[in-house]
Amino acid sequence: MQSRLFFAGILALAFASQPLLSQSATPQTTGPLQDAGPAAPESQNGAHQRRPLTKPVNLKVLPKDIAPEDLITVMRRYAGALGVECNFCHAVNPQTHKLDFPSDAKDDKGIARIMIAMTRTINDQYMAQVHDPDAMPADTHVTCGTCHRGHSMPEHFTPAPEQHHRPQAGAAPQQQPQ
Ligand code: HEC
Ligand code: HEC
């Protein structure tokens, strides 16, 4: 838990520093920040310095009585797991140019709500039934990072050809032409 939070923090820092690096001549090839509008990285830094520690007003899936500090810890973990920054899910207020955290204007916030509920169901209903003696504590539950691994969209996985099982007769879509 501790080390994962630390790792998420490092990731958040790494991405937060990217806007500075991208001023160099090297073209920025990494994806996550491409969604950010011009004003976004600045608002982003603002969010880091002045944490919005006011009581949340628009929680629909997280516990409504969550401590504001804990909420921010959870949010950092999401950002780290997806390799994004706060503005991936949170819309910028066009007047103030700051992130409007309670706003539901961005679709990704809605998707994230479904994902939070999904992850909870996986853990409560299914992972809780697994009592695997081989599992380390971190293996016993699913997190956003289990699937996302630093990508906003989980990467497609195709097993290497040599790992394929011998195809059944008539069911070999990837056969080499003779
Ligand atoms: C992957 C999407 C995602 C990312 C990234 C994200 N958030 Fe959130 N955030 C959400 C969702 C979803 C909610 C609403 C949860 C609910 O409905 O229970 C939320 C709610 C909040 C709230 C409560 C707003 C209110 O008053 O209701 C705050 C504050 C917040 N986020 C801050 C942050 C900060 C700061 C960051 C960056 C460190 C961040 N979020 C990154 C998805 C995200
Ligand atoms: C079981 C695997 C799994 C877990 C766990 C999971 N996700 Fe996802 N997530 C996906 C898949 C697959 C997609 C792509 C679905 C689609 O776009 O139709 C996705 C898409 C998303 C998107 C939309 C990304 C985009 O670019 O449109 C967001 C945001 C997101 N997930 C947030 C989260 C958060 C936050 C968590 C943890 C609370 C989480 N996910 C946990 C599998 C997962």
Side-chain angles (χ1 to χ4, degrees), residues 6-145:
F6 177 69
F7 183 60
I10 294 289
L11 265 181
L13 280 177
F15 281 108
S17 63
Q18 277 195 7
L20 300 174
L21 298 176
S22 70
Q23 314 233 326
S24 71
T26 341
Q28 190 173 351
T29 49
T30 42
L33 284 173
Q34 282 167 4
D35 296 87
E42 209 173 275
S43 336
Q44 185 57 42
N45 289 337
H48 276 286
Q49 282 151 20
R50 280 175 282 103
R51 295 176 197 179
L53 291 181
T54 52
K55 205 176 174 326
V57 294
N58 188 23
L59 297 187
K60 294 178 177 160
V61 286
L62 293 171
K64 290 193 196 307
D65 59 352
I66 188 171
E69 306 78 38
D70 294 343
L71 177 67
I72 299 308
T73 303
V74 168
M75 290 298 148
R76 292 236 168 92
R77 215 185 298 156
Y78 295 162
L82 271 68
V84 299
E85 301 199 45
C86 313
N87 59 21
F88 185 80
C89 296
H90 293 288
V92 174
N93 179 315
Q95 266 94 50
T96 62
H97 303 288
K98 296 207 164 87
L99 291 181
D100 180 355
F101 292 108
S103 160
D104 289 343
K106 290 201 89 172
D107 290 344
D108 284 299
K109 187 179 180 187
I111 297 175
R113 281 196 171 110
I114 299 170
M115 293 277 155
I116 295 165
M118 176 188 77
T119 304
R120 188 183 296 161
T121 300
I122 292 173
N123 286 325
D124 291 355
Q125 293 191 21
Y126 301 100
M127 293 303 285
Q129 298 182 46
V130 180
H131 303 288
D132 178 3
D134 301 335
M136 308 278 285
D139 297 328
T140 60
H141 59 275
V142 165
T143 67
C144 312

Side-chain angles (χ1 to χ4, degrees), residues 2 29 142 165 167-168 174:
Q2 207 63 327
T29 49
V142 165
H165 292 293
Q168 304 281 324
Q174 295 191 358

